[in-house]
Amino acid sequence: MKGIGGFYYVSDEEGSVHECKARGRFRKEKMKPMVGDLVDFADLSGYSSIEEILPRKNAMKRPAVANLDRMLLVLSAGKPMPDLLLADKLLIQAKQSGIHPVIVINKTDMDFQYAQELEKQYAYYDTILTSAKDHEGIDLLEEKIRGKCVCLAGQSAVGKSSLINRLDESFGLETGGLSKKTDRGKHTTRQAELFYVENCDAYVVDTPGFSMFEMNLNKDEIAGYYPEFCTFGKQCRFISCLHDREPDCGVKQAVETGEINRERYERYLRIIHSLEEK
């Protein structure tokens, strides 16, 4: 469920939580238990021990969680203004890891029109609008996570912890506001932690907000992670089209006709050009 200072908190089949240490051999094998891991553990004299880490179907480094079914990417329709370049990279990471992404546009009470504009930008994704403050869209959120293990990811202060609190008020997670100087979020979640939402039979991971990201892909692989490009890329003259400077590009034509969002396409160019520089 969480790991703090070398101790790992493991929930058994009955929901009882055990404080465990990890076997020393995991260090030799360069393995470390992650939030979301399925493990075998044993109660020994005086303490419990994680004996085995079962095979993972996926794992993410930032946030450090395993075995996710869905990633809920939370964007703010108010303050802080969303970092959409980071959002696009997280969507790439989710697809690369085999995790179904759901975009949650929160704080619709602050600027509903802007929330709708964001929804149009990500028209090719599973998207819902919510307001943790007004309890709007929480029923839709419950349906998206039912029976799943999901992670909430995104910047600080976009409302991740507030949304989890709306799913189950008993969690009582600390929520933070904005820095008056920068309009950026204050970090309130200090480590990844798994919460069981009983009425949805779901596990939800709350993670610290972050603004740094490392892309571990080649530039010619990026376009394959954009669902809208996969549709219009079939109309390109070249099979290996990067949708950048090539002639007769179906993606660029779709941008001109408005079938692909221009801002999202321009951020795509920023990503591949940054990889070219590296």
Side-chain angles (χ1 to χ4, degrees):
M1 307 296 280
K2 64 179 177 179
I4 302 175
F7 289 93
Y8 301 93
Y9 297 84
V10 178
S11 175
D12 63 21
E13 289 94 334
E14 285 76 39
S16 299
V17 177
H18 303 254
E19 184 180 77
C20 300
K21 295 180 180 179
R23 290 287 297 270
R25 66 179 177 82
F26 291 130
R27 284 195 296 273
K28 295 179 183 178
E29 298 170 0
K30 297 182 178 179
M31 283 279 287
K32 185 178 180 180
M34 298 173 70
V35 170
D37 269 333
L38 296 172
V39 300
D40 288 332
F41 74 99
D43 287 322
L44 305 177
S45 56
Y47 70 99
S48 298
S49 169
I50 293 178
E51 301 290 300
E52 294 288 343
I53 300 172
L54 303 185
R56 296 163 175 158
K57 66 180 179 181
N58 55 55
M60 297 176 71
K61 291 183 178 180
R62 297 189 63 181
V65 292
N67 298 317
L68 291 173
D69 297 306
R70 294 186 170 182
M71 182 183 78
L72 307 184
L73 174 56
V74 185
L75 304 177
S76 168
K79 292 181 179 180
M81 288 298 292
D83 182 343
L84 297 182
L85 184 62
L86 173 65
D88 291 346
K89 291 178 179 180
L90 284 170
L91 291 170
I92 292 170
Q93 184 186 32
K95 189 169 182 181
Q96 186 184 15
S97 303
I99 302 166
H100 177 74
V102 177
I103 297 173
V104 180
I105 303 170
N106 192 36
K107 300 190 180 183
T108 55
D109 54 285
M110 297 183 73
D111 192 337
F112 188 73
Q113 184 176 349
Y114 181 54
Q116 290 179 312
E117 291 174 11
L118 287 174
E119 188 178 27
K120 288 179 182 177
Q121 279 209 41
Y122 293 101
Y124 288 82
Y125 288 90
D126 198 356
T127 306
I128 60 174
L129 305 183
T130 63
S131 169
K133 179 181 177 181
D134 295 339
H135 292 248
E136 294 293 334
I138 303 303
D139 55 338
L140 297 174
L141 185 62
E142 289 175 344
E143 287 305 311
K144 294 296 181 186
I145 71 171
R146 192 172 301 280
K148 309 291 185 184
C149 181
V150 305
C151 169
L152 274 75
Q155 298 159 264
S156 296
V158 294
K160 299 189 299 295
S161 297
S162 296
L163 287 169
I164 293 177
N165 284 339
R166 291 293 174 262
L167 292 169
D168 189 328
E169 300 290 346
S170 69
F171 292 145
L173 298 185
E174 182 185 355
T175 59
L178 296 167
S179 164
K180 292 181 180 178
K181 289 185 178 180
T182 64
D183 271 349
R184 293 183 179 179
K186 299 175 184 177
H187 295 273
T188 54
T189 302
R190 293 168 181 83
Q191 71 274 327
E193 183 170 357
L194 199 63
F195 294 90
Y196 180 64
V197 185
E198 188 171 4
N199 65 317
C200 299
D201 187 29
Y203 284 96
V204 178
V205 186
D206 189 23
T207 63
F210 53 88
S211 57
M212 299 286 290
F213 187 91
E214 287 296 325
M215 183 70 68
N216 188 27
L217 288 168
N218 297 321
K219 66 175 183 177
D220 55 352
E221 297 176 284
I222 300 297
Y225 293 97
Y226 281 68
E228 59 267 57
F229 291 6
C230 294
T231 299
F232 294 98
K234 297 173 184 177
Q235 301 168 19
C236 295
R237 182 198 295 185
F238 304 109
I239 295 175
S240 58
C241 186
L242 282 177
H243 319 306
D244 184 9
R245 305 178 183 92
E246 299 87 345
D248 300 328
C249 170
V251 168
K252 289 194 291 184
Q253 291 172 4
V255 172
E256 292 303 318
T257 59
E259 293 170 284
I260 290 178
N261 180 268
R262 183 176 295 276
E263 292 178 42
R264 185 160 146 80
Y265 169 71
E266 290 174 352
R267 293 194 300 272
Y268 159 78
L269 293 180
R270 286 177 62 187
I271 291 173
I272 64 168
H273 293 165
S274 69
L275 292 174
E276 282 177 353
E277 291 170 6
K278 287 184 179 181

